[in-house]
Amino acid sequence: MTITQKISRAIAAGLLALPLLAYGALAANDIFDLSPDQPGRIRAEKDAAAVSAIPKDFKFTSPGKFTVAVSPGGPPLATYATDAKTVVGADPDYALAIADSLGLQLELVPVAWADWPLGLVSGKYDAVISNVGVTEQRKEKFDFSTYRQGLHGFFVKADSPITSIREPKDAAGLRITVGASTNQERILLKWSDENVKAGLKPIELQYYDDDAARILALQAGRADVIVQPHAQLVYIAARDKNIKRVGTLSAGWPERSDVAITTRKGSGLADALTLATNDLIKNGAYARILARWQLSEEALPESRTNPPGLPKS
């Protein structure tokens, strides 16, 4: 292909993408409330047991407030609302419910993902609620109170004959598109090895430059399955209505891997947050928050403080 042809193709693709992006934004607002006022937010009652578990000498960043860092990486977990400044999503909703449980006002601080560890250690905020997975390496510096499962999703075209992927044999011989050097790729390579040892076909992994290219490959029939973080694909499926979930995969396969509220190591706040989460689970507020953002698949039966995390690589 000549340089002129490449440029022409790129221009054509860009022009085609503009109406698709505009439609996607409109459709997203029909499915998820991305308004700054968030009238459907789930609120919680003050939890006396959780409040009592806060160490007497613990000093919140701002008196009377629960200051929480969140990275607005994209819906449905956390994104900027239609006013381009208010952060909304499942993680902000959960942070609000925890603040309610502690009898505090929520102070949400948007941060870049790379900046949260230093900001937390230096006391800029009391906690991070931003899809942080529990790992053994992170546990050396931070405490954790789990609140969601870390899941990857198996999604296919809406009219695909594939109905379920739960274990390695279900994926034998399939063309699966996945991000290079990701945890999903690592797991699927192990699945493929297991299939070959069992006399089944290997998994054909496909790599593309970005998420949009992977979605297009799936829609065009060049790939059978796409595997990405579950929440990302839930949003795309609800927005575009042309892909469907056929299974989930734990980020810690074969063990469960959880997402957690992250606090400073030894601050003593983690146990109170775990108590608050378990109360939200018992009274149903937790389930309603996840359902509001179509993340019920990621629900935990209970919250734990500092459970086993992903091992050091």
Side-chain angles (χ1 to χ4, degrees):
M1 184 184 295
T2 66
I3 293 176
T4 300
Q5 288 173 321
K6 289 181 178 179
I7 293 173
S8 297
R9 178 174 290 186
I11 292 172
L15 291 173
L16 179 63
L18 289 176
L20 288 175
L21 288 172
Y23 169 77
L26 291 172
N29 287 335
D30 290 339
I31 297 153
F32 296 106
D33 177 12
L34 301 181
S35 67
D37 50 339
Q38 292 290 294
R41 264 186 161 179
I42 311 301
R43 303 303 299 260
E45 299 294 328
K46 186 174 180 180
D47 184 342
V51 173
S52 296
I54 300 172
K56 301 301 182 185
D57 59 349
F58 182 84
K59 302 294 183 183
F60 286 95
T61 300
S62 296
K65 294 183 179 181
F66 183 42
T67 305
V68 175
V70 62
S71 178
L77 294 180
T79 190
Y80 284 106
T82 51
D83 65 354
K85 62 181 181 181
T86 304
V87 183
V88 300
D91 280 344
D93 275 14
Y94 182 70
L96 179 62
I98 290 293
D100 285 345
S101 298
L102 300 181
L104 301 170
Q105 179 183 345
L106 176 64
E107 180 75 22
L108 208 58
V109 182
V111 299
W113 171 261
D115 295 340
W116 71 256
L118 181 58
L120 183 57
V121 169
S122 63
K124 289 184 177 179
Y125 21 85
D126 305 308
V128 177
I129 300 181
S130 193
N131 202 43
V132 180
V134 181
T135 71
E136 289 303 312
Q137 185 169 358
R138 286 174 179 159
K139 282 167 62 179
E140 293 177 356
K141 294 184 178 180
F142 306 104
D143 286 331
F144 294 96
S145 303
T146 59
Y147 70 98
R148 271 199 350 264
Q149 291 188 64
L151 292 182
H152 304 310
F154 291 105
F155 281 68
V156 299
K157 288 178 64 176
D159 60 356
S160 171
I162 300 169
T163 59
S164 179
I165 299 176
R166 303 294 176 187
E167 54 186 322
K169 67 181 180 61
D170 298 333
L174 296 180
R175 299 169 299 170
I176 300 182
T177 178
V178 67
S181 302
T182 60
N183 192 40
Q184 304 97 279
E185 179 198 31
R186 176 187 64 81
I187 294 170
L188 289 173
L189 287 171
K190 291 183 178 180
W191 277 32
S192 189
D193 288 343
E194 286 194 15
N195 284 336
V196 171
K197 290 177 182 178
L200 302 173
K201 292 182 179 179
I203 297 171
E204 180 186 323
L205 295 185
Q206 296 182 355
Y207 303 93
Y208 295 91
D209 292 338
D210 53 40
D211 293 348
R214 284 191 281 277
I215 290 290
L216 287 175
L218 180 68
Q219 294 172 346
R222 295 191 300 272
D224 302 309
V225 185
I226 184 171
V227 177
Q228 283 184 197
H230 177 254
Q232 294 177 0
L233 293 174
V234 163
Y235 178 77
I236 293 170
R239 182 193 67 192
D240 298 343
K241 299 181 174 63
N242 57 8
I243 64 173
K244 64 181 180 181
R245 179 179 57 226
V246 293
T248 56
L249 172 69
S250 171
W253 184 88
E255 304 298 330
R256 196 178 79 194
S257 175
D258 292 341
V259 170
I261 307 173
T262 310
T263 51
R264 288 184 292 279
K265 188 74 176 178
S267 69
L269 191 59
D271 285 338
L273 300 178
T274 299
L275 281 171
T277 298
N278 281 323
D279 193 47
L280 292 172
I281 291 172
K282 290 175 183 176
N283 66 33
Y286 172 82
R288 293 196 297 275
I289 291 170
L290 293 183
R292 182 170 188 251
W293 297 97
Q294 299 191 21
L295 294 175
S296 297
E297 288 275 334
E298 301 190 5
L300 288 174
E302 66 173 351
S303 175
R304 296 185 293 168
T305 300
N306 292 329
L310 291 178
K312 295 180 181 180
S313 56

